Amino acid sequence: MTVQAQIRVIYGDTDAMGQAYYGNYLKWFEIGRAEWFRAGGMTYREVESGGLYLPVVEAHCFYKKPAYYDDALTIATSFRFAGPARLRFDYEIMRNGEVLAAGYTVHACVNRDRRVVKPPDFLKTLLKPREKVE
C-alpha cells in the first residue's frame, strides 16, 4: 500500500540558493512514515506506547531535482519487511507528479530495553498489505 501526504515547502526549509535544504528530505520522509501509520489506524505514538520503538538504522536519499520555496509536494510512502526484525519504508517526494527525490529508511524493532525483537502481533497486523490509500 502506498500512502500519500501533502506538504508545502516553507521559507525556513530553503538554503541560500532558494532551494529546499537536503536534510529536510529526511524530515519529509518521517512525515510520510507517520502518515502511513496513521492511515493504518495507529499513530507512531501508539506504537511506542505498546512498548515498541523503531529507530532508523539506515537512510538513503537520491536527489533528482530541487524543490523550492512554496512548492506543494506529495510524499508517497510504502512499506516492506527488510528482515525478521527490520522494517523498510520507501519514499518518493514529488511536485506535480514529477519525482524530485526518492529513498528509503530501514528501522530496527526494539523494546523499551533497546533489545532487538521481532515485530509483535499488533504491528504485524498493521503492516499487512492494505488497499491503496491516496
Side-chain angles (χ1 to χ4, degrees):
M1 170 190 68
T2 300
V3 171
Q4 294 187 350
Q6 308 299 315
I7 61 163
R8 188 167 295 276
V9 179
I10 63 171
Y11 188 77
D13 286 342
T14 62
D15 61 17
M17 295 181 290
Q19 61 189 42
Y21 176 68
Y22 76 93
N24 286 314
Y25 290 81
L26 293 176
K27 177 177 71 174
W28 297 337
F29 286 0
E30 182 177 352
I31 291 169
R33 189 168 60 253
E35 292 305 317
W36 189 93
F37 276 100
R38 191 169 280 113
M42 180 177 272
T43 66
Y44 187 72
R45 182 182 302 264
E46 291 169 326
V47 171
E48 288 182 337
S49 70
L52 185 71
Y53 300 88
L54 303 172
V56 175
V57 296
E58 182 179 348
H60 175 78
C61 186
F62 178 71
Y63 304 94
K64 298 178 180 188
K65 292 188 173 185
Y68 299 97
Y69 168 67
D70 209 36
D71 280 352
L73 304 179
T74 299
I75 308 163
T77 306
S78 58
F79 164 81
R80 64 183 166 143
F81 281 102
R86 288 182 177 232
L87 313 176
R88 175 175 162 152
F89 290 89
D90 295 307
Y91 312 91
E92 287 185 327
I93 307 290
M94 297 172 281
R95 178 184 53 228
N96 299 324
E98 179 181 27
V99 176
L100 304 181
Y104 64 88
T105 55
V106 176
H107 305 258
C109 294
V110 301
N111 63 17
R112 284 187 173 101
D113 297 324
R114 306 293 189 230
R115 293 195 177 163
V116 175
V117 296
K118 290 185 179 181
D121 289 339
F122 79 88
L123 185 60
K124 286 180 187 177
T125 299
L126 182 68
L127 297 173
K128 284 184 181 176
R130 295 179 252 156
E131 304 253 335
K132 187 175 182 179
V133 175
E134 305 245 0

